[in-house]
Amino acid sequence: MKKPFISLEQAQEIIKKYPTPFHIYDEKGIRENARMVNKAFAWNKGFREYFAVKATPTPGILQVLKEEGCGADCSSYTELRIAQALGITGHDIMFSSNVTPEEDFALAAELGAIINFDDITHIPFFEKIAKIPETVCCRYNPGGMFQVSNEIMDNPGDAKYGMTKEQIKQAFAMLKEKGAKHFGIHSFLASSTSSNVYYPMLSKILFELAVELKNELDIHISFINLSGGVGIPYHPDEVGCDIMAIGEGVHQVYDEVLLPAGMDDVAIFTEMGRYMLAPYGALVSQVIHEKHIYKDYMGLDACAVNLMRPAMYGAYHHMTVLGKESVPCDHQYDVTGGLCENNDKFAVDRMLPKMEIGDIVYIHDTGAHGHSMGYNYNGKLRSAELLLKENGTIEMIRRAETEQDYFATFDFTGLFDK
């Protein structure tokens, strides 16, 4: 059973100052989880979690993770600027992008970030902008289907990311010739996995590739970046990943493949977003309308602007009607927002307690890819983000948008004088 990290009474008190809808994050949960991740990989002296900024690009959250030793995985100019503003620079940044604009590479180089080249053609493109650094990384795509036993986890061969094995060999040889001395390998083969063996299986692929590249090209493999892909249990009856078991699984493969090759100094990096943040964020909204036609609809003051995943992917997010946790879920509803799109639904045919106008709905697991995927369709404004501090106080870490924000990019001069 999923439990909210705020109660009805807390929510009612918060709403007096910050109107719904809003996203709220649990600082205590974030810190405890980050410490557990570091503990799971403590066997590797170079381990570093580079939080996937795209998941939650909110400075107040990134500062908490920075204090827990996390770096920043950035994929755009703006994300680099956020990291810079927080004093995250140099090798505390992994810059992993694709179809990368010149200005993005230029800023990444200026900040001294570790550049993760997505394609071999990006190397000469980058070289026109900045000198090839001594430490570099390339993204690998082995192609084909990626599966555990008979379960297909994802289809790397259909993904736009990364290089083939032959291309990464050519890329490393080219980079070595241009002065690179320390090399990293990065790969992302599956998203939101629920298996404890995903990272260990990916590790075996990358560790064996690392040994092959070291021997063929006589280069120093400095780190291997397992990227993200570790999922969370969105459904209440799902079992979550065991990060300690995952860390130990990677450890065993490290000892099996890298140690015999004399590569005991290879650091392990991760770039998790969902696992680091999703369970520690929630979207809090209120029921403002109900409609009973062919189905029963409960309409919230939030919409897909605040949480796009259900509309975009049909993703499941559990819901708790605060104060009704013990009431039987014996009513079937579609829970919707107010956009002029029929897919603007947080839940379809969901069994919930009998709901009424004014009920406060807590939508679970929105801490990653929640607020960050927001947009302004229908002129809707994005909501505030709040942080439940460890001491129980509430801090606004991003204010709600206003109509002035929405109109700020328009020039109305003379528009109504015609």
Side-chain angles (χ1 to χ4, degrees), residues 2 234-236 309-310 314-319 346 350 364-365:
K2 284 184 174 288
Y234 283 102
H235 289 262
R309 296 186 73 251
Y316 179 95
H317 281 266
H318 197 62
M319 292 181 178
F346 296 109
R350 184 76 59 88
H364 293 255
D365 302 322

Side-chain angles (χ1 to χ4, degrees), residues 20-148:
T20 54
F22 55 76
H23 284 268
I24 187 166
Y25 305 90
D26 175 21
E27 180 184 9
K28 183 173 184 289
I30 294 169
R31 289 188 184 277
E32 289 176 350
N33 187 55
R35 291 168 190 171
M36 187 62 69
V37 168
N38 285 326
K39 182 179 179 182
F41 289 90
W43 55 267
N44 182 260
K45 62 183 179 181
F47 174 75
R48 192 79 183 276
E49 157 61 21
Y50 287 84
F51 174 68
V53 174
K54 58 182 166 288
T56 318
T58 307
I61 297 299
L62 298 178
Q63 179 61 34
V64 170
L65 291 168
K66 177 187 175 186
E67 291 169 7
E68 295 300 332
C70 298
D73 164 42
C74 298
S75 58
S76 71
Y77 182 95
T78 309
E79 290 178 3
L80 287 166
R81 283 294 190 207
I82 294 172
Q84 182 184 23
L86 291 169
I88 303 172
T89 58
H91 286 189
D92 291 337
I93 300 175
M94 279 289 304
F95 183 62
S96 299
S97 62
N98 67 97
V99 195
T100 310
E102 181 178 331
E103 57 268 25
D104 293 32
F105 270 144
L107 180 56
E110 178 187 330
L111 296 177
I114 300 174
I115 307 296
N116 180 24
F117 291 107
D118 180 68
D119 187 68
I120 191 169
T121 63
H122 290 185
I123 296 170
F125 182 86
F126 178 88
E127 201 173 17
K128 295 175 183 177
I129 301 163
K131 182 182 176 182
I132 297 294
E134 289 192 356
T135 298
V136 292
C137 184
C138 286
R139 190 166 186 167
Y140 175 56
N141 184 334
M145 302 296 291
F146 184 74
Q147 62 185 62
V148 176

Side-chain angles (χ1 to χ4, degrees), residues 131-198:
K131 182 182 176 182
I132 297 294
E134 289 192 356
T135 298
V136 292
C137 184
C138 286
R139 190 166 186 167
Y140 175 56
N141 184 334
M145 302 296 291
F146 184 74
Q147 62 185 62
V148 176
S149 298
N150 293 322
E151 179 188 355
I152 295 174
M153 301 185 76
D154 221 318
N155 183 8
D158 198 39
K160 67 175 181 175
Y161 308 109
M163 309 180 197
T164 67
K165 181 185 283 191
E166 286 308 309
Q167 287 174 336
I168 204 169
K169 287 181 180 180
Q170 294 172 31
F172 277 6
M174 185 188 305
L175 289 164
K176 178 183 178 182
E177 186 180 333
K178 296 177 183 297
K181 293 183 171 59
H182 308 288
F183 297 81
I185 305 171
H186 175 287
S187 193
F188 178 83
L189 300 189
S191 179
S192 195
T193 63
S194 58
S195 171
N196 291 337
V197 302
Y198 167 61

